[in-house]
Structure formats: structure tokens, C-alpha cells
Amino acid sequence: FEFSKFNYINKETLYFIEIFVKNRGNIKAIEKEMNISYPSVKKLLDEAVTSLGYSVDEELEKEEESFNKEKV
């Protein structure tokens, strides 16, 4: 009997993952349901990714930030 990666994640992160899946990754819907800002959703997503043992691609994040600034 082996535990999965999800057995080692804290309750708050598991809750976020549940909301993320429920909303099919739609950031706006997650913001609305959890009543949090876009940066907070990104932070929670990064925490979930690292909790599962993966690394956050910093180069990809920089590209996203640059793209978002151009939209404004």
C-alpha cells in the first residue's frame, strides 16, 4: 500500500486543487468562487505545483507577466 502525492498535501492546497479542477482551470471563475485576486490564484497554483513535486517554470511566468502588462 502506497500513498499518492495528494496524501502529503495540506488541506488548503487540496481545497484549491479541487476548486481548480471544478472550474476546469478558469482563473476568473476561481477568483470569483474563492473571492481572491489573480495574483493570489497564481500563488496558490504555484504552491500546488510544488507540493506535487514539480517545479514552477520561471521563464514561462515571466512571459505571462510580460503578456499581461501588454494587455493593459
Side-chain angles (χ1 to χ4, degrees), residues 6 9 13 15 26 28 32 45 52 60 62 65:
F6 292 95
I9 297 175
T13 302
Y15 175 71
N26 183 312
K28 291 285 183 193
K32 185 175 180 180
L45 182 56
L52 289 169
L60 179 61
K62 288 178 186 176
E65 287 175 13

Side-chain angles (χ1 to χ4, degrees), residues 15-16 19 22-23 26-41 44:
Y15 175 71
F16 172 77
I19 298 301
K22 175 184 159 202
N23 288 289
N26 183 312
I27 302 294
K28 291 285 183 193
I30 297 165
E31 286 179 60
K32 185 175 180 180
E33 182 166 340
M34 296 184 74
N35 196 32
I36 59 176
S37 66
Y38 176 84
S40 296
V41 173
L44 290 170

